[in-house]
Amino acid sequence: MVKILVVDDEADLEILIKQKFRKRIREGEFDFYFALNGRQALDLLEEHTDIDLILSDINMPEMDGLTLLSKVKEKNSLLKTVIISAYGDMENIRTAMNLGAFDFITKPVDFRDLEITLDKTIQYRNQIKSTLKAMRENNILKMYVDETVLNFMGNKELESSLMENETIDASVAFIDLVAFTKISENEEPNVVVGLLNEYFDLMVKEIIEQKGIVDKFIGDAVMAVFQGENHFERAIRTALSIRDKMEQLPVFSPETNFRPEVSIGINAGEMVSGNIGSRSLKRLDYTVIGDTVNVAARLQSAAKPAQILVLESCAEAVKAHFEFQNMGEINLKNKALPAKVFEVVKSNS
């Protein structure tokens, strides 16, 4: 239902409008409110904040239509006003338009023209509301979905390309909060979630700083992907920064004696990027998969608190930039052969 406020000191206009629009009123499409001057109109707007548009005369006692127009613009710039007046000279029309009037109709009123103007104004109002709703939803969506996914969703060929994928060369890092279950067992859920969000926020800032992408949050761990030039070097710098900043944080509480530490596994190489899931269920996850990703997850599982583990082959490529410690061969879960693993100690630059 569209709620319309009619402001006019001619009482006969109320009868005419109710008669001319009786069908649309009866069908619940229009609901009219009436005021004899601008002052009454402002009182009604205070009482009924959901009024959609205003039809207003200019020449009225106590407060004229142009003053009302300026007051409405101050209070609600989205509320549209159509001026209906016998003073249809160019000066009044320009003044009304400059004050924000959506349209101008001269008296005596042609009700067919008024109906067309109402429908046009309502359509414009609906477009504005739809745009604002989309903006709000998009801002909310950005809190849950990575920018890469949003860019993909903007693709005009989205429907036909939902299940397409591509092979990329990138680095992936798994960053896990060590022993966070200690807090989960002893604190209220809202405390646990709040603290976890604080730690995640610290990690995400460092990931973004090195132009990485947060692929997903997995329990108390973060999966991040780095693409482009020097992606493995940037992944390591992110991991070192997160580890150092975590070490600077205080013990959470004397009772739990929990100190936030991370264990990190990083790997680089080819991986498949695309939508994984069920199109029938309408549940998809835009992510990366492949052996490179699996190895990074296994390296994180093998890492001790404050350790950053990488494969020897990857460490070799960036040895000029970082200091490594040889950890020897480690058996990674579900891997037939042991892997030569190095720990990242510090940056050389």
Side-chain angles (χ1 to χ4, degrees), residues 101-156:
F102 183 78
D103 210 334
F104 197 108
I105 294 175
T106 55
K107 290 182 177 180
V109 177
D110 178 336
F111 280 92
R112 178 59 189 149
D113 180 45
L114 175 59
E115 187 169 17
I116 292 170
T117 303
L118 276 176
D119 287 337
K120 181 179 70 173
T121 311
I122 292 163
Q123 183 182 16
Y124 180 79
R125 185 265 288 175
N126 290 342
Q127 287 174 348
I128 294 294
K129 281 192 171 183
S130 178
T131 301
L132 291 172
K133 182 173 181 287
M135 288 170 64
R136 285 194 295 269
E137 289 173 349
N138 192 49
N139 287 335
I140 293 169
L141 190 62
K142 284 179 180 176
M143 297 174 68
Y144 288 89
V145 182
D146 186 79
E147 186 178 357
T148 306
V149 183
L150 292 177
N151 291 338
F152 176 80
M153 288 166 65
N155 182 353
K156 63 181 179 180

Side-chain angles (χ1 to χ4, degrees), residues 68-78 98-100:
L68 170 64
L69 195 55
S70 64
K71 298 282 186 184
V72 168
K73 188 178 178 182
E74 289 173 11
K75 289 178 177 292
N76 185 354
S77 60
L78 296 177
N98 288 336
L99 286 170

Side-chain angles (χ1 to χ4, degrees), residues 89-247:
D89 57 277
M90 187 55 68
E91 183 180 350
N92 272 308
I93 292 173
R94 286 192 59 80
T95 302
M97 291 304 186
N98 288 336
L99 286 170
F102 183 78
D103 210 334
F104 197 108
I105 294 175
T106 55
K107 290 182 177 180
V109 177
D110 178 336
F111 280 92
R112 178 59 189 149
D113 180 45
L114 175 59
E115 187 169 17
I116 292 170
T117 303
L118 276 176
D119 287 337
K120 181 179 70 173
T121 311
I122 292 163
Q123 183 182 16
Y124 180 79
R125 185 265 288 175
N126 290 342
Q127 287 174 348
I128 294 294
K129 281 192 171 183
S130 178
T131 301
L132 291 172
K133 182 173 181 287
M135 288 170 64
R136 285 194 295 269
E137 289 173 349
N138 192 49
N139 287 335
I140 293 169
L141 190 62
K142 284 179 180 176
M143 297 174 68
Y144 288 89
V145 182
D146 186 79
E147 186 178 357
T148 306
V149 183
L150 292 177
N151 291 338
F152 176 80
M153 288 166 65
N155 182 353
K156 63 181 179 180
E157 305 296 336
L158 172 63
E159 196 64 34
S160 62
S161 61
L162 272 177
M163 304 309 287
E164 288 183 3
N165 56 67
E166 61 176 328
T167 301
I168 61 171
D169 185 66
S171 294
V172 61
F174 286 86
I175 306 153
D176 183 68
L177 270 168
V178 179
F180 190 73
T181 49
K182 284 184 181 178
I183 293 181
S184 304
E185 292 169 355
N186 297 291
E187 296 290 344
E188 293 294 323
N190 61 324
V191 174
V192 174
V193 172
L195 190 63
L196 188 59
N197 284 338
E198 279 186 43
Y199 294 150
F200 277 161
D201 195 46
L202 182 152
M203 296 181 198
V204 168
K205 285 176 182 175
E206 301 308 314
I207 292 166
I208 293 172
E209 179 70 23
Q210 289 293 337
K211 296 180 172 55
I213 295 168
V214 175
D215 185 280
K216 62 173 66 71
F217 297 99
I218 313 164
D220 51 13
V222 180
M223 175 182 169
V225 179
F226 298 80
Q227 296 185 57
E229 189 177 357
N230 303 322
H231 54 78
F232 187 62
E233 180 184 337
R234 289 187 283 114
I236 291 180
R237 292 194 186 283
T238 299
L240 285 169
S241 183
I242 289 173
R243 184 187 67 182
D244 294 345
K245 292 201 171 180
M246 281 291 179
E247 288 177 348

Side-chain angles (χ1 to χ4, degrees), residues 259-271:
R259 178 178 293 279
E261 291 182 293
V262 287
S263 60
I264 303 173
I266 310 173
N267 198 21
E270 284 192 348
M271 57 194 76

